[in-house]
Amino acid sequence: MNKVQEALVNFQKATQSLSLRISKNNIEIGNNAESIQVLQSDLKSVASQIKSLQTDIQKFATMKQATQMHIECIITDSTLVIQDAYRYIRQGLTPVIFRHSVRTSRKQEDENGVREYLPRRRGWNRFYDDRKISVNNGDEISFRLDKEGDPDNGKYFTKPNVLFSDCRAIIDPETQQLLEVRIYFGKRSFNILGINRHFRFAIGFYKKSKDYGPFQFGELRTNLAEFKVIARADRVDGSNNYKLTFNFSM
């Protein structure tokens, strides 16, 4: 009986000790549960902040793509230069040239195969295609010669005369004297015999769309950097022969 009573006392002590341990563990579990809830709340907050940050990054990237960069044309040693032009090309932008002229487009062919002309419009019109101009690593601009029959057709030059392909001498049928030298610019022609004519051009850089559709002004990532070309024709020795000169101007 004494041994049984002793064993019972020891059992009671062990039970009390176990109960105390269980109580402590329950307290710790409760504390851990609260900690877990706090951690979960913090994780949700961090996840929300990350999502917000990602949204801001995307917005910034979109703004960076859409924001126009300012460029200017500079004339250096009779050559046209745009600072950082080569860097823009390495960033994936494409240079494009415009001229301020009168232009007329035509509709698609109707059922009778006739293409009607649309009203004439005056303003900045794209001049040829993406390969009309080229930029070297010194930021110098060169222009492709587009003149069929010329041995240099398709080659690139830094001189402004490449931007003009046609001119025509007007001879008086009675006196056989040179009356005019007309140069063509868009849908119009201009007399440049003894006259300085200023023709407006501009260069911009745009980001090609993925579908490579027709060029849109909304794709421009820079302003239009304007420059002028002064064209003039002068008689040679009072004859009907003439000399053409072209110079860049701002």
Side-chain angles (χ1 to χ4, degrees), residues 14-28:
T15 300
Q16 291 175 352
S17 177
L18 182 59
S19 298
L20 182 61
R21 290 171 59 190
I22 291 174
S23 177
K24 289 182 179 180
N25 287 337
N26 286 335
I27 294 174
E28 291 179 0

Side-chain angles (χ1 to χ4, degrees), residues 80-98:
L80 195 68
V81 175
I82 297 179
Q83 292 182 341
D84 295 327
Y86 192 68
R87 178 169 64 88
Y88 295 146
I89 290 178
R90 287 185 297 172
Q91 291 177 351
L93 300 183
T94 300
V96 61
I97 185 170
F98 303 85

Side-chain angles (χ1 to χ4, degrees), residues 25-43:
N25 287 337
N26 286 335
I27 294 174
E28 291 179 0
I29 290 173
N31 292 335
N32 289 337
E34 292 179 0
S35 298
I36 290 173
Q37 289 179 350
V38 172
L39 288 174
Q40 288 176 338
S41 177
D42 291 342
L43 285 173

